[in-house]
C-alpha cells in the first residue's frame, strides 16, 4: 500500500489530502498516516500540512528496491539485483554473490560502503545519498586474453551516459572519469578466471553525484555532478543512464570480442591522447607522448628511447606530467 500512495504523490504537483488518499485506496486516514510514516522511514521527504495533506518533495533521493525496479529501462542489466543498506564493498559483495548461480548483469547497490576499493589498492568509501556505489556481475563468453578492453568500454559508457545528459565528461585511460580536470567517477574491474575460461567479471562503479564540496586533498582532485552543474541529480537517473549505455556496448563487444570499433570514440574522449604522460609502476617510470589506443585496449606511448611502448591497464598508473589530473 505504501508504494501505491507513493505513486500517487509522485504524480501530483500539489498536496494530496489524507481524505482523498483514503477514498482512492479505500483505507482509513489513520492507515494513510501509518503508510506515510513508513515512506518517511525509507528516506522519502514528505511534507505534512494540516488541512492540506501530503506533498512529496522533489529532493527525495532514495535508492531502494522499489526505486531501482521502477526506474531501470535496461533489458538485462539490473533486472536481477540486490539493494543493501550497508556492505564492506559492493565489489566484495558481488564476488560473494557470484558464487551462487546468478545471471549475467546482476546488480548490487549499497547506501554505505565501509571498505570500498579503487584501482591500485586505493580506498573509496562513502555513506549517505550524495554518491552512488554499485557493482555489476558479468559472465562474458570470452577467454581471459580478450577481456582487457572491457575496462575501457566501461569508462566509455559512463562518458556517453554523462554527455547525453549534458555533462562534458572525459576519460583518463583506462577508465577514470574526469570533469573539468577533476575526478568524478572511479571504476574497478576484478576478474575470476581459469587458464582459458572466465568465471565472472565484477565491475564496480563509484559516482560523485550531489556532494556540495570536498575536504582536504580531495578538494583539488575530486568533483561531483552537482559541483559542475549546480543541479541535484536523482541517483536512479544516473544509475539508469550508465547501465543503458554499458549494456549496449557490452553486448556489442562480446559478440565479436573486437575493440576496434570502439577505439575512435574512446580516443576522442581520452584526455591522455596527444599529451606527455608518465607511466609509473613499481619497477620503472617511463615518459612519452600518448599517441593512441591499441585494439587490445593498451595505451600506446612513444618516446625517444624506445619509439613505441604499450601499457596494459592495471600494470601502470598513467598521469599527465603537469599533474592536472591523477
Amino acid at each position: 500500500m505504501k508504494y501505491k500512495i507513493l505513486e500517487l504523490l509522485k504524480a501530483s504537483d500539489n498536496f494530496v489530502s489524507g481524505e482523498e488518499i483514503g477514498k482512492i485506496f479505500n483505507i482509513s486516514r489513520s492507515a494513510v498516516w501509518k503508510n506515510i510514516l513508513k515512506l518517511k522511514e525509507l528516506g522519502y521527504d514528505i511534507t505534512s500540512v494540516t488541512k492540506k495533506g501530503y506533498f512529496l518533495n522533489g529532493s527525495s533521493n532514495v535508492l531502494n528496491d522499489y526505486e531501482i525496479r521502477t526506474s531501470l529501462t535496461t533489458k538485462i542489466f539490473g533486472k536481477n539485483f540486490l539493494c543493501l543498506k550497508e556492505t564492506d564493498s559492493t565489489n566484495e559483495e558481488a564476488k560473494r554473490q557470484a558464487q551462487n548461480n546468478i545471471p549475467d548483469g546482476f546488480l548490487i547497490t549499497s547506501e554505505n560502503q565501509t571498505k570500498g576499493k579503487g584501482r591500485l589498492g586505493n580506498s573509496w568509501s562513502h555513506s549517505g545519498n550524495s554518491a552512488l556505489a554499485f557493482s555489476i556481475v558479468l559472465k562474458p563468453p570470452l577467454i581471459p586474453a580478450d577481456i582487457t578492453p572491457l575496462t575501457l568500454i566501461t569508462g566509455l559508457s559512463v562518458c556517453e551516459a554523462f554527455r547525453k545528459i549534458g555533462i562534458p565528461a572525459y576519460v583518463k585511460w583506462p577508465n577514470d572519469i574526469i570533469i573539468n580536470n577533476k575526478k568524478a567517477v572511479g571504476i574497478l574491474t576484478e576478474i575470476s578466471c581459469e587458464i582459458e575460461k572466465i568465471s565472472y567479471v565484477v565491475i564496480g562503479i563509484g559516482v560523485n553525484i550531489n556532494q556540495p564540496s570536498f575536504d582536504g586533498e580531495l578538494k583539488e582532485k575530486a568533483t561531483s555532478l552537482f559541483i559542475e552543474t549546480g543541479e541535484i541529480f536523482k541517483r536512479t537517473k544516473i544509475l539508469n543512464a550508465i547501465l543503458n549505455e554499458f549494456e549496449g556496448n557490452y553486448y556489442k563487444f562480446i559478440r565479436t570480442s573486437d575493440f576496434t570499433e570502439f577505439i575512435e570514440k574512446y580516443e576522442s574522449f581520452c584526455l591522455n591522447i596527444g599529451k606527455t604522460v608518465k607511466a609509473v609502476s613499481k619497477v620503472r617510470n617511463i615518459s612519452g607522448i600518448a599517441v593512441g589506443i591499441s585494439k587490445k585496449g593498451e595505451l600506446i606511448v612513444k618516446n625517444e628511447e624506445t619509439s613505441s611502448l604499450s601499457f596494459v591497464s592495471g600494470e601502470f598508473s598513467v598521469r599527465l606530467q603537469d599533474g592536472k589530473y591523477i
Side-chain angles (χ1 to χ4, degrees), residues 56-169:
L56 177 66
N57 295 295
S59 59
S60 295
N61 209 340
V62 179
L63 189 67
N64 59 24
D65 289 11
Y66 171 80
E67 293 293 337
I68 292 174
R69 187 170 59 253
T70 57
S71 299
L72 294 189
T73 59
T74 49
K75 295 179 180 178
I76 298 173
F77 281 15
K79 291 305 178 183
N80 294 276
F81 66 89
L82 178 64
C83 183
L84 303 170
K85 282 288 186 181
E86 183 173 288
T87 188
D88 50 355
S89 156
T90 57
N91 264 32
E92 290 302 312
E93 182 61 36
K95 287 186 282 188
R96 290 190 286 267
Q97 293 294 325
Q99 305 306 313
N100 305 319
N101 189 28
I102 58 173
D104 197 39
F106 191 90
L107 172 71
I108 298 96
T109 70
S110 182
E111 284 284 36
N112 300 298
Q113 282 193 124
T114 58
K115 297 180 181 178
K117 299 189 298 183
R119 287 185 67 245
L120 303 175
N122 296 321
S123 63
W124 195 88
S125 298
H126 86 285
S127 61
N129 62 11
S130 59
L132 172 66
F134 66 96
S135 297
I136 190 161
V137 180
L138 303 175
K139 298 182 176 180
L142 304 174
I143 61 174
D146 292 335
I147 202 66
T148 298
L150 187 54
T151 294
L152 281 70
I153 287 171
T154 308
L156 171 64
S157 300
V158 176
C159 269
E160 289 178 317
F162 283 4
R163 285 169 175 251
K164 284 188 176 180
I165 57 177
I167 300 172

Side-chain angles (χ1 to χ4, degrees), residues 157-211:
S157 300
V158 176
C159 269
E160 289 178 317
F162 283 4
R163 285 169 175 251
K164 284 188 176 180
I165 57 177
I167 300 172
Y170 292 87
V171 62
K172 174 202 155 213
W173 181 89
N175 56 10
D176 283 345
I177 305 305
I178 308 296
I179 305 173
N180 194 25
N181 281 321
K182 293 184 178 182
K183 185 174 176 178
V185 181
I187 299 169
L188 175 64
T189 302
E190 298 185 272
I191 301 171
S192 175
C193 62
E194 300 172 4
I195 295 176
E196 291 298 323
K197 180 183 178 182
I198 294 173
S199 300
Y200 60 82
V201 178
V202 171
I203 296 181
I205 300 177
V207 188
N208 296 330
I209 299 182
N210 293 321
Q211 293 96 326

